[in-house]
Amino acid sequence: MLQVTKIFRFETAHAIHGYNGHCKNIHGHSYVLHVTVAMAGHNSGFIESPGFIIDFKDLKQYVNEKVISRFDHQLILSEAFIKANPTVAESENIHIWKVEPTAENILLHIRNELQQVFPPEVVLHKLTIFETSDSYAVWEKDS
């Protein structure tokens, strides 16, 4: 299967409520997101003109609109965290989720957002988000 990937970077803070480790406190990460797309139904031969699965410029626009502009320099916390720490809710750049903002849930949120924007001939195939240089989560479309 032919695929293309574009890499994005953004800064986001979060905390994991109910976790008994360092991540229970508000802290930030320099996330690195790999977005991989494939062409729907394409399995042989060359791609007709203009020869792209998707123009990297268009892929960048979709991801910037749905992910980077919403997450960069933002704080993501769960409703449970806010309930236990109500003064934090006064922050200007806060997003409150029903679920804990783990790398896995952030990745699933990104998947849900991006699956809505690609043209029908482009399939979101794989997402990888690095929370640190050696810790990451992966989502891959089922075959």
Side-chain angles (χ1 to χ4, degrees):
M1 174 185 294
L2 184 60
Q3 307 166 8
V4 294
T5 299
K6 187 151 182 66
I7 301 171
F8 301 86
R9 290 170 174 74
F10 58 96
E11 313 294 326
T12 300
H14 71 154
I16 310 302
H17 182 71
Y19 179 70
N20 192 21
H22 294 298
C23 293
K24 69 182 177 184
N25 299 310
I26 295 174
H27 63 286
H29 294 283
S30 296
Y31 287 97
V32 177
L33 174 67
H34 295 219
V35 178
T36 302
V37 297
M39 182 175 279
H42 188 269
N43 43 3
S44 65
F46 291 98
I47 301 170
E48 295 297 319
S49 183
F52 302 125
I53 293 173
I54 189 172
D55 188 324
F56 284 119
K57 171 181 56 88
D58 295 335
L59 181 55
K60 181 179 178 180
Q61 179 183 345
Y62 292 134
V63 176
N64 280 339
E65 177 186 325
K66 290 293 189 177
V67 179
I68 308 305
S69 68
R70 295 178 183 181
F71 284 171
D72 193 37
H73 289 83
Q74 301 296 303
L75 171 59
I76 307 171
L77 300 170
S78 68
E79 291 174 348
F81 188 95
I82 295 298
K83 187 175 180 182
N85 304 276
T87 58
V88 177
E90 298 169 11
S91 298
E92 195 174 293
N93 62 340
I94 192 167
H95 296 266
I96 302 171
W97 288 4
K98 292 184 185 294
V99 298
E100 296 303 321
T102 59
E104 296 89 337
N105 282 334
I106 290 171
L107 193 62
L108 293 172
H109 179 85
I110 291 170
R111 177 205 59 192
N112 293 346
E113 291 295 313
L114 291 179
Q115 284 181 327
Q116 300 172 29
V117 297
F118 292 123
E121 66 275 9
V122 177
V123 176
L124 183 60
H125 181 71
K126 184 177 180 180
L127 295 170
T128 304
I129 192 165
F130 286 81
E131 194 169 78
T132 65
S133 63
D134 59 1
S135 300
Y136 61 94
V138 177
W139 169 85
E140 193 163 0
K141 181 177 175 21
D142 294 332
S143 300

